[in-house]
Amino acid sequence: MKKRVFSLLLAFAMVGAMGLPARALETTTPAGEGWRASETAFLARYALEYAAAHQEEYAAFDEETYKNLVDQLRSQYKTELMAALGIDEASFREILWTISLENEEIEEKAARAWWAAITQAYETEFPGDIDAVGLPTALTIFGYDSVEAFAQNSNETVETAQQYLAALYVESRQHVATDHEAALNYREQYPGSYESFDPDDGYEGDWAHMKGNTMAQNALQSEEEWKEYRYVRYMPDGYLRDQEDAARREAYPARYPEEYAAFDARAWFNGYYSIVSATPERYMEQEGLDAEGFKKVMFLEWADRKRCFFNGYCVTVDGTPIQFQFYRDLEGEVVGPKAEHERILIPLRAAAEALGLTVEWKSETNEVVCSNGETAITFTLDSTQYSGGTLDVAPHAEKGITYLPLRALGETLGCGVTWLQDFATAALTTPQPSKGTDIVEH
Protein backbone atom coordinates (compact mmCIF):
# COMPACT_ATOMS: atom_id res chain seq x y z
CA MET A 1 0.00 0.00 0.00
CA LYS A 2 2.94 2.29 0.57
CA LYS A 3 4.03 4.31 -2.39
CA ARG A 4 6.61 6.94 -3.12
CA VAL A 5 4.09 9.73 -3.30
CA PHE A 6 6.52 12.53 -4.09
CA SER A 7 7.69 10.61 -7.12
CA LEU A 8 4.39 11.70 -8.65
CA LEU A 9 5.81 15.19 -8.81
CA LEU A 10 8.68 13.88 -10.89
CA ALA A 11 6.36 12.13 -13.35
CA PHE A 12 5.58 14.66 -16.04
CA ALA A 13 2.37 12.86 -16.83
CA MET A 14 0.97 14.27 -13.61
CA VAL A 15 1.25 17.79 -14.99
CA GLY A 16 -1.40 16.79 -17.48
CA ALA A 17 -3.66 15.96 -14.55
CA MET A 18 -3.55 19.53 -13.30
CA GLY A 19 -6.77 20.20 -15.17
CA LEU A 20 -9.17 19.81 -12.28
CA PRO A 21 -12.10 17.45 -12.63
CA ALA A 22 -15.81 18.05 -12.96
CA ARG A 23 -18.51 15.38 -13.13
CA ALA A 24 -22.16 14.69 -13.63
CA LEU A 25 -22.79 14.74 -9.88
CA GLU A 26 -24.73 17.62 -8.42
CA THR A 27 -21.93 19.28 -6.49
CA THR A 28 -21.34 22.65 -4.90
CA THR A 29 -17.59 22.11 -4.58
CA PRO A 30 -15.70 24.53 -6.85
CA ALA A 31 -13.06 23.09 -9.14
CA GLY A 32 -9.70 22.83 -7.40
CA GLU A 33 -11.09 22.57 -3.90
CA GLY A 34 -12.17 19.83 -1.53
CA TRP A 35 -12.52 16.38 -3.01
CA ARG A 36 -11.95 17.82 -6.48
CA ALA A 37 -8.43 18.96 -5.63
CA SER A 38 -5.32 18.00 -7.59
CA GLU A 39 -3.07 15.42 -5.96
CA THR A 40 -0.05 16.98 -7.64
CA ALA A 41 -0.82 20.43 -6.24
CA PHE A 42 -1.57 18.96 -2.79
CA LEU A 43 1.74 17.09 -2.62
CA ALA A 44 3.61 20.16 -3.83
CA ARG A 45 2.08 22.21 -1.02
CA TYR A 46 2.93 19.49 1.48
CA ALA A 47 6.55 19.45 0.33
CA LEU A 48 6.72 23.24 0.61
CA GLU A 49 5.26 23.16 4.11
CA TYR A 50 7.75 20.49 5.15
CA ALA A 51 10.67 22.54 3.83
CA ALA A 52 9.38 25.65 5.60
CA ALA A 53 9.23 23.75 8.88
CA HIS A 54 12.78 22.39 8.46
CA GLN A 55 14.76 25.40 7.30
CA GLU A 56 17.88 24.40 9.20
CA GLU A 57 18.14 21.10 7.33
CA TYR A 58 17.14 22.81 4.08
CA ALA A 59 20.02 25.27 4.44
CA ALA A 60 22.43 22.38 3.89
CA PHE A 61 20.95 21.76 0.43
CA ASP A 62 23.86 23.08 -1.64
CA GLU A 63 23.59 24.52 -5.13
CA GLU A 64 25.60 21.75 -6.79
CA THR A 65 23.28 19.04 -5.46
CA TYR A 66 20.27 21.08 -6.62
CA LYS A 67 21.69 21.48 -10.13
CA ASN A 68 22.47 17.78 -10.34
CA LEU A 69 18.88 16.95 -9.45
CA VAL A 70 17.55 19.43 -11.99
CA ASP A 71 19.80 17.87 -14.64
CA GLN A 72 18.21 14.48 -13.94
CA LEU A 73 14.75 15.79 -14.76
CA ARG A 74 13.20 15.43 -18.18
CA SER A 75 13.88 18.33 -20.56
CA GLN A 76 11.66 21.35 -19.90
CA TYR A 77 10.07 19.65 -16.87
CA LYS A 78 11.26 22.26 -14.40
CA THR A 79 9.81 25.24 -16.27
CA GLU A 80 6.55 23.51 -17.10
CA LEU A 81 5.99 22.18 -13.59
CA MET A 82 6.67 25.61 -12.10
CA ALA A 83 4.12 27.11 -14.48
CA ALA A 84 1.55 24.41 -13.75
CA LEU A 85 1.89 24.85 -9.99
CA GLY A 86 2.22 28.61 -10.15
CA ILE A 87 5.47 28.67 -8.16
CA ASP A 88 8.81 30.42 -8.48
CA GLU A 89 12.22 28.75 -8.55
CA ALA A 90 12.75 29.21 -4.83
CA SER A 91 9.61 27.17 -4.12
CA PHE A 92 10.59 24.62 -6.75
CA ARG A 93 13.95 24.26 -5.04
CA GLU A 94 12.28 23.56 -1.71
CA ILE A 95 10.00 20.95 -3.28
CA LEU A 96 12.95 19.25 -4.93
CA TRP A 97 14.81 19.18 -1.63
CA THR A 98 11.92 17.45 0.12
CA ILE A 99 11.72 14.91 -2.69
CA SER A 100 15.47 14.31 -2.60
CA LEU A 101 15.26 13.15 1.02
CA GLU A 102 13.56 9.94 -0.14
CA ASN A 103 12.19 9.61 3.38
CA GLU A 104 9.50 6.94 3.55
CA GLU A 105 8.07 8.36 6.77
CA ILE A 106 7.58 11.77 5.17
CA GLU A 107 6.03 10.24 2.08
CA GLU A 108 3.70 8.06 4.17
CA LYS A 109 2.52 11.10 6.10
CA ALA A 110 1.97 13.00 2.86
CA ALA A 111 -0.08 10.13 1.46
CA ARG A 112 -2.21 9.90 4.59
CA ALA A 113 -2.75 13.64 4.55
CA TRP A 114 -3.93 13.45 0.93
CA TRP A 115 -6.24 10.54 1.67
CA ALA A 116 -7.74 12.33 4.66
CA ALA A 117 -8.21 15.61 2.79
CA ILE A 118 -10.18 14.21 -0.14
CA THR A 119 -12.20 11.63 1.79
CA GLN A 120 -13.27 14.12 4.45
CA ALA A 121 -14.24 16.65 1.81
CA TYR A 122 -16.17 14.02 -0.16
CA GLU A 123 -17.94 12.73 2.93
CA THR A 124 -18.98 16.27 3.86
CA GLU A 125 -20.75 16.74 0.54
CA PHE A 126 -21.99 13.17 0.10
CA PRO A 127 -22.62 11.80 3.59
CA GLY A 128 -22.65 8.02 3.79
CA ASP A 129 -21.64 7.40 0.17
CA ILE A 130 -18.17 6.14 1.02
CA ASP A 131 -19.44 3.56 3.50
CA ALA A 132 -22.41 2.50 1.41
CA VAL A 133 -20.82 2.50 -2.04
CA GLY A 134 -17.16 3.50 -1.93
CA LEU A 135 -15.65 0.84 0.32
CA PRO A 136 -17.52 -2.08 -1.32
CA THR A 137 -16.47 -0.72 -4.73
CA ALA A 138 -12.81 -0.41 -3.74
CA LEU A 139 -12.83 -3.88 -2.17
CA THR A 140 -14.23 -5.28 -5.41
CA ILE A 141 -11.26 -3.87 -7.31
CA PHE A 142 -8.86 -5.86 -5.09
CA GLY A 143 -11.08 -8.93 -4.80
CA TYR A 144 -11.81 -8.74 -1.06
CA ASP A 145 -15.12 -8.93 0.77
CA SER A 146 -14.09 -7.01 3.89
CA VAL A 147 -11.80 -4.22 5.01
CA GLU A 148 -10.41 -6.54 7.68
CA ALA A 149 -9.31 -9.12 5.13
CA PHE A 150 -7.70 -6.44 2.98
CA ALA A 151 -5.91 -4.97 6.00
CA GLN A 152 -4.58 -8.35 7.08
CA ASN A 153 -3.25 -9.16 3.63
CA SER A 154 -1.70 -5.68 3.30
CA ASN A 155 -0.13 -5.88 6.77
CA GLU A 156 -1.82 -2.62 7.77
CA THR A 157 -4.22 -1.57 10.47
CA VAL A 158 -7.91 -1.64 9.67
CA GLU A 159 -8.03 2.16 10.04
CA THR A 160 -5.22 2.69 7.52
CA ALA A 161 -6.69 0.17 5.08
CA GLN A 162 -10.11 1.81 5.29
CA GLN A 163 -8.65 5.27 4.70
CA TYR A 164 -6.69 4.02 1.69
CA LEU A 165 -9.70 2.28 0.15
CA ALA A 166 -11.88 5.33 0.71
CA ALA A 167 -9.30 7.57 -0.97
CA LEU A 168 -9.01 5.15 -3.88
CA TYR A 169 -12.75 5.38 -4.38
CA VAL A 170 -12.74 9.18 -4.29
CA GLU A 171 -9.84 9.28 -6.76
CA SER A 172 -11.84 7.00 -9.05
CA ARG A 173 -14.79 9.35 -8.77
CA GLN A 174 -12.45 12.19 -9.74
CA HIS A 175 -11.71 10.33 -12.97
CA VAL A 176 -15.43 9.89 -13.56
CA ALA A 177 -15.75 13.64 -13.12
CA THR A 178 -12.98 14.30 -15.60
CA ASP A 179 -14.71 12.05 -18.11
CA HIS A 180 -17.95 13.96 -17.65
CA GLU A 181 -16.29 17.29 -18.30
CA ALA A 182 -14.52 15.91 -21.38
CA ALA A 183 -17.79 14.43 -22.62
CA LEU A 184 -19.53 17.79 -22.36
CA ASN A 185 -16.72 19.43 -24.35
CA TYR A 186 -16.82 16.78 -27.06
CA ARG A 187 -20.60 16.95 -27.29
CA GLU A 188 -20.44 20.69 -27.81
CA GLN A 189 -17.66 20.36 -30.38
CA TYR A 190 -19.24 17.47 -32.28
CA PRO A 191 -23.05 17.72 -32.07
CA GLY A 192 -24.80 14.39 -32.37
CA SER A 193 -21.68 12.31 -31.68
CA TYR A 194 -22.78 11.36 -28.16
CA GLU A 195 -26.32 10.47 -29.12
CA SER A 196 -25.15 8.13 -31.89
CA PHE A 197 -22.39 6.53 -29.82
CA ASP A 198 -22.96 2.94 -28.69
CA PRO A 199 -21.02 2.31 -25.45
CA ASP A 200 -21.75 -1.42 -25.54
CA ASP A 201 -20.11 -1.95 -28.93
CA GLY A 202 -17.57 -4.72 -28.44
CA TYR A 203 -19.13 -5.82 -25.15
CA GLU A 204 -21.75 -8.14 -26.57
CA GLY A 205 -21.94 -11.90 -26.32
CA ASP A 206 -18.95 -13.52 -24.68
CA TRP A 207 -17.59 -10.11 -23.72
CA ALA A 208 -20.71 -8.88 -21.92
CA HIS A 209 -19.30 -9.72 -18.48
CA MET A 210 -16.37 -7.38 -19.09
CA LYS A 211 -18.70 -4.40 -18.94
CA GLY A 212 -19.59 -5.09 -15.32
CA ASN A 213 -15.95 -5.68 -14.43
CA THR A 214 -14.86 -2.43 -16.05
CA MET A 215 -17.61 -0.46 -14.37
CA ALA A 216 -16.67 -1.86 -10.96
CA GLN A 217 -12.94 -1.24 -11.45
CA ASN A 218 -13.57 2.37 -12.41
CA ALA A 219 -16.31 3.13 -9.85
CA LEU A 220 -18.89 3.78 -12.56
CA GLN A 221 -22.32 3.85 -11.00
CA SER A 222 -24.73 4.30 -13.89
CA GLU A 223 -25.22 3.61 -17.57
CA GLU A 224 -24.62 7.31 -18.20
CA GLU A 225 -21.22 7.18 -16.52
CA TRP A 226 -20.40 4.02 -18.47
CA LYS A 227 -21.31 5.75 -21.72
CA GLU A 228 -19.20 8.82 -20.88
CA TYR A 229 -16.27 6.59 -19.87
CA ARG A 230 -16.33 4.84 -23.24
CA TYR A 231 -17.21 7.96 -25.21
CA VAL A 232 -14.24 10.08 -24.10
CA ARG A 233 -11.83 7.26 -24.88
CA TYR A 234 -13.31 6.87 -28.34
CA MET A 235 -13.46 10.52 -29.31
CA PRO A 236 -9.82 11.69 -29.54
CA ASP A 237 -8.95 9.30 -32.36
CA GLY A 238 -11.87 7.01 -33.07
CA TYR A 239 -14.55 9.58 -33.91
CA LEU A 240 -12.47 11.61 -36.34
CA ARG A 241 -11.08 8.44 -37.89
CA ASP A 242 -14.58 7.04 -38.33
CA GLN A 243 -15.79 10.31 -39.84
CA GLU A 244 -12.93 10.28 -42.33
CA ASP A 245 -13.61 6.62 -43.10
CA ALA A 246 -17.27 7.39 -43.70
CA ALA A 247 -16.36 10.18 -46.12
CA ARG A 248 -13.97 7.95 -48.06
CA ARG A 249 -16.46 5.11 -47.99
CA GLU A 250 -18.91 7.29 -49.90
CA ALA A 251 -16.28 8.83 -52.20
CA TYR A 252 -14.38 5.74 -53.33
CA PRO A 253 -17.12 4.11 -55.43
CA ALA A 254 -17.31 7.28 -57.54
CA ARG A 255 -13.53 7.55 -57.73
CA TYR A 256 -13.09 3.92 -58.82
CA PRO A 257 -16.37 3.06 -60.58
CA GLU A 258 -15.07 0.10 -62.62
CA GLU A 259 -13.23 -1.49 -59.70
CA TYR A 260 -16.20 -0.95 -57.40
CA ALA A 261 -18.66 -2.47 -59.89
CA ALA A 262 -16.47 -5.58 -60.23
CA PHE A 263 -15.66 -5.83 -56.51
CA ASP A 264 -16.91 -8.96 -54.76
CA ALA A 265 -17.47 -7.94 -51.14
CA ARG A 266 -18.19 -11.47 -49.94
CA ALA A 267 -15.03 -12.84 -51.55
CA TRP A 268 -12.97 -10.11 -49.87
CA PHE A 269 -14.70 -10.76 -46.55
CA ASN A 270 -13.93 -14.47 -46.75
CA GLY A 271 -10.23 -13.78 -47.04
CA TYR A 272 -9.83 -12.15 -43.63
CA TYR A 273 -12.97 -12.52 -41.55
CA SER A 274 -13.25 -16.26 -42.06
CA ILE A 275 -10.29 -16.45 -39.67
CA VAL A 276 -12.59 -15.39 -36.83
CA SER A 277 -15.44 -17.64 -38.02
CA ALA A 278 -17.62 -14.69 -38.96
CA THR A 279 -20.18 -14.58 -41.74
CA PRO A 280 -21.18 -11.61 -43.88
CA GLU A 281 -24.72 -11.80 -42.50
CA ARG A 282 -23.56 -11.72 -38.89
CA TYR A 283 -21.15 -8.90 -39.63
CA MET A 284 -23.85 -6.82 -41.33
CA GLU A 285 -26.20 -7.41 -38.42
CA GLN A 286 -23.60 -6.36 -35.85
CA GLU A 287 -22.60 -3.26 -37.80
CA GLY A 288 -26.12 -2.30 -38.85
CA LEU A 289 -25.29 -2.49 -42.57
CA ASP A 290 -27.34 -3.36 -45.60
CA ALA A 291 -25.78 -5.10 -48.61
CA GLU A 292 -24.61 -1.87 -50.25
CA GLY A 293 -23.17 -0.53 -47.00
CA PHE A 294 -21.37 -3.83 -46.49
CA LYS A 295 -19.85 -3.59 -49.95
CA LYS A 296 -18.65 -0.03 -49.31
CA VAL A 297 -17.02 -1.04 -46.01
CA MET A 298 -15.18 -3.96 -47.61
CA PHE A 299 -14.15 -1.85 -50.60
CA LEU A 300 -12.74 0.79 -48.24
CA GLU A 301 -10.58 -1.86 -46.56
CA TRP A 302 -9.12 -2.80 -49.91
CA ALA A 303 -8.72 0.73 -51.27
CA ASP A 304 -7.14 1.97 -48.03
CA ARG A 305 -4.92 -1.14 -47.83
CA LYS A 306 -6.03 -1.74 -44.27
CA ARG A 307 -5.90 -5.53 -44.35
CA CYS A 308 -4.48 -8.35 -46.42
CA PHE A 309 -1.48 -6.38 -47.68
CA PHE A 310 1.95 -7.86 -47.18
CA ASN A 311 5.19 -6.17 -48.16
CA GLY A 312 2.91 -3.50 -49.61
CA TYR A 313 1.10 -5.89 -51.96
CA CYS A 314 -2.16 -7.79 -52.04
CA VAL A 315 -2.77 -10.95 -54.05
CA THR A 316 -6.34 -12.11 -54.66
CA VAL A 317 -7.73 -15.26 -56.24
CA ASP A 318 -11.24 -14.72 -57.60
CA GLY A 319 -11.52 -11.71 -55.31
CA THR A 320 -10.42 -13.44 -52.12
CA PRO A 321 -7.15 -12.11 -50.68
CA ILE A 322 -4.47 -14.61 -49.75
CA GLN A 323 -3.70 -14.53 -46.03
CA PHE A 324 0.09 -14.60 -46.03
CA GLN A 325 0.31 -14.19 -42.26
CA PHE A 326 0.01 -17.96 -42.02
CA TYR A 327 3.16 -18.54 -44.03
CA ARG A 328 6.52 -18.13 -42.30
CA ASP A 329 10.15 -18.70 -43.15
CA LEU A 330 12.75 -20.63 -41.17
CA GLU A 331 13.28 -17.62 -38.92
CA GLY A 332 9.59 -17.40 -38.10
CA GLU A 333 9.02 -14.23 -40.11
CA VAL A 334 5.84 -13.73 -42.12
CA VAL A 335 6.43 -14.13 -45.85
CA GLY A 336 4.42 -12.58 -48.63
CA PRO A 337 4.54 -11.43 -52.23
CA LYS A 338 7.52 -9.32 -53.20
CA ALA A 339 8.67 -7.40 -56.23
CA GLU A 340 11.95 -8.11 -57.98
CA HIS A 341 12.89 -6.42 -61.24
CA GLU A 342 9.29 -5.26 -61.71
CA ARG A 343 7.90 -8.76 -61.27
CA ILE A 344 5.79 -10.15 -58.45
CA LEU A 345 7.02 -13.35 -56.83
CA ILE A 346 4.82 -15.40 -54.53
CA PRO A 347 5.66 -18.07 -51.92
CA LEU A 348 5.06 -21.50 -53.46
CA ARG A 349 2.98 -22.93 -50.61
CA ALA A 350 0.68 -19.91 -50.55
CA ALA A 351 0.14 -20.12 -54.29
CA ALA A 352 -0.47 -23.87 -54.17
CA GLU A 353 -3.09 -23.64 -51.44
CA ALA A 354 -4.83 -20.62 -52.94
CA LEU A 355 -5.02 -22.12 -56.43
CA GLY A 356 -5.61 -25.72 -55.38
CA LEU A 357 -2.38 -26.98 -56.95
CA THR A 358 -0.43 -30.13 -56.40
CA VAL A 359 3.30 -29.60 -56.05
CA GLU A 360 6.08 -32.05 -56.85
CA TRP A 361 9.61 -31.27 -55.81
CA LYS A 362 12.43 -32.91 -57.81
CA SER A 363 15.52 -32.47 -55.67
CA GLU A 364 17.87 -34.13 -58.15
CA THR A 365 17.12 -31.50 -60.82
CA ASN A 366 16.15 -28.63 -58.51
CA GLU A 367 12.77 -28.49 -60.22
CA VAL A 368 9.30 -27.63 -58.93
CA VAL A 369 6.30 -29.01 -60.84
CA CYS A 370 2.92 -27.37 -60.17
CA SER A 371 -0.31 -28.83 -61.55
CA ASN A 372 -4.00 -28.04 -61.33
CA GLY A 373 -5.01 -31.45 -62.67
CA GLU A 374 -5.23 -30.30 -66.28
CA THR A 375 -2.07 -28.28 -66.80
CA ALA A 376 1.39 -28.62 -65.31
CA ILE A 377 4.18 -26.06 -65.16
CA THR A 378 7.81 -26.77 -64.29
CA PHE A 379 10.22 -24.25 -62.76
CA THR A 380 13.89 -24.72 -62.08
CA LEU A 381 15.28 -22.87 -59.09
CA ASP A 382 17.76 -20.13 -59.97
CA SER A 383 17.04 -20.52 -63.69
CA THR A 384 15.08 -18.25 -66.00
CA GLN A 385 14.13 -21.21 -68.18
CA TYR A 386 10.82 -22.93 -67.41
CA SER A 387 8.39 -25.17 -69.24
CA GLY A 388 6.56 -22.18 -70.69
CA GLY A 389 9.60 -20.38 -72.04
CA THR A 390 11.89 -17.77 -70.53
CA LEU A 391 11.37 -15.77 -67.34
CA ASP A 392 12.61 -12.28 -66.52
CA VAL A 393 13.21 -13.31 -62.90
CA ALA A 394 14.35 -16.75 -61.79
CA PRO A 395 12.44 -18.57 -59.05
CA HIS A 396 14.56 -19.07 -55.99
CA ALA A 397 14.59 -20.27 -52.38
CA GLU A 398 15.13 -17.91 -49.46
CA LYS A 399 15.13 -18.90 -45.78
CA GLY A 400 13.34 -22.12 -46.59
CA ILE A 401 10.69 -20.47 -48.80
CA THR A 402 10.46 -21.06 -52.55
CA TYR A 403 9.36 -18.01 -54.54
CA LEU A 404 7.78 -18.38 -57.97
CA PRO A 405 6.92 -15.72 -60.56
CA LEU A 406 3.21 -15.04 -60.15
CA ARG A 407 2.37 -14.01 -63.70
CA ALA A 408 4.01 -17.03 -65.35
CA LEU A 409 2.49 -19.40 -62.83
CA GLY A 410 -1.02 -18.01 -63.12
CA GLU A 411 -1.26 -17.57 -66.86
CA THR A 412 0.28 -20.95 -67.68
CA LEU A 413 -2.34 -22.57 -65.47
CA GLY A 414 -5.13 -20.68 -67.26
CA CYS A 415 -5.67 -17.88 -64.79
CA GLY A 416 -6.09 -14.28 -65.73
CA VAL A 417 -3.55 -12.04 -64.00
CA THR A 418 -4.33 -8.36 -63.58
CA TRP A 419 -2.19 -5.71 -61.94
CA LEU A 420 -4.33 -3.00 -60.31
CA GLN A 421 -1.90 -0.15 -59.80
CA ASP A 422 -4.12 2.05 -57.61
CA PHE A 423 -4.71 -0.88 -55.27
CA ALA A 424 -1.21 -2.45 -55.35
CA THR A 425 -3.01 -5.70 -56.05
CA ALA A 426 -2.27 -8.68 -58.25
CA ALA A 427 -5.65 -10.21 -59.06
CA LEU A 428 -5.89 -13.77 -60.34
CA THR A 429 -9.17 -14.97 -61.84
CA THR A 430 -10.24 -18.44 -62.87
CA PRO A 431 -10.97 -19.47 -65.50
CA GLN A 432 -11.52 -16.28 -67.54
CA PRO A 433 -8.87 -13.49 -67.70
CA SER A 434 -9.93 -10.16 -66.19
CA LYS A 435 -9.34 -6.79 -67.77
CA GLY A 436 -6.57 -4.56 -66.52
CA THR A 437 -3.00 -3.58 -66.86
CA ASP A 438 -0.34 -6.24 -67.21
CA ILE A 439 1.07 -7.18 -63.82
CA VAL A 440 4.60 -6.34 -64.91
CA GLU A 441 3.87 -2.63 -65.30
CA HIS A 442 4.17 -1.15 -61.85
Side-chain angles (χ1 to χ4, degrees), residues 101 125 178 216 231 241 294-295 321 378 439:
L101 297 177
E125 185 164 353
T178 302
Y231 175 70
R241 181 189 63 242
F294 172 70
K295 182 175 182 178
T378 302
I439 189 173

Side-chain angles (χ1 to χ4, degrees), residues 113-151:
W114 165 246
W115 299 343
I118 59 173
T119 54
Q120 290 171 9
Y122 188 89
E123 181 66 20
T124 298
E125 185 164 353
F126 306 104
D129 185 67
I130 289 178
D131 286 338
V133 181
L135 292 178
T137 297
L139 286 168
T140 298
I141 295 174
F142 290 103
Y144 290 92
D145 56 10
S146 70
V147 175
E148 290 75 15
F150 177 75

Side-chain angles (χ1 to χ4, degrees), residues 34-105:
W35 71 276
R36 297 173 65 188
S38 160
E39 183 177 12
T40 304
F42 181 92
L43 295 176
R45 288 195 299 270
Y46 191 95
L48 283 171
E49 291 170 1
Y50 184 87
H54 298 80
Q55 284 297 301
E56 185 174 342
E57 295 95 324
Y58 174 68
F61 187 47
D62 62 86
E63 192 65 22
E64 182 178 354
T65 302
Y66 170 63
K67 288 182 178 179
N68 288 337
L69 288 172
V70 170
D71 289 341
Q72 295 174 22
L73 298 179
R74 196 157 67 89
S75 176
Q76 296 184 325
Y77 173 80
K78 172 185 169 184
T79 301
E80 294 179 6
L81 181 58
M82 287 170 54
L85 295 173
I87 59 176
D88 57 18
E89 183 160 3
S91 296
F92 179 79
R93 193 176 190 278
E94 291 182 332
I95 292 173
L96 202 58
W97 171 72
T98 306
I99 295 172
S100 71
L101 297 177
E102 297 186 351
N103 187 309
E104 290 190 7
E105 181 179 354

Side-chain angles (χ1 to χ4, degrees), residues 425-439:
T425 296
L428 281 73
T429 56
T430 58
Q432 297 298 321
S434 62
K435 298 178 180 180
T437 305
D438 195 308
I439 189 173

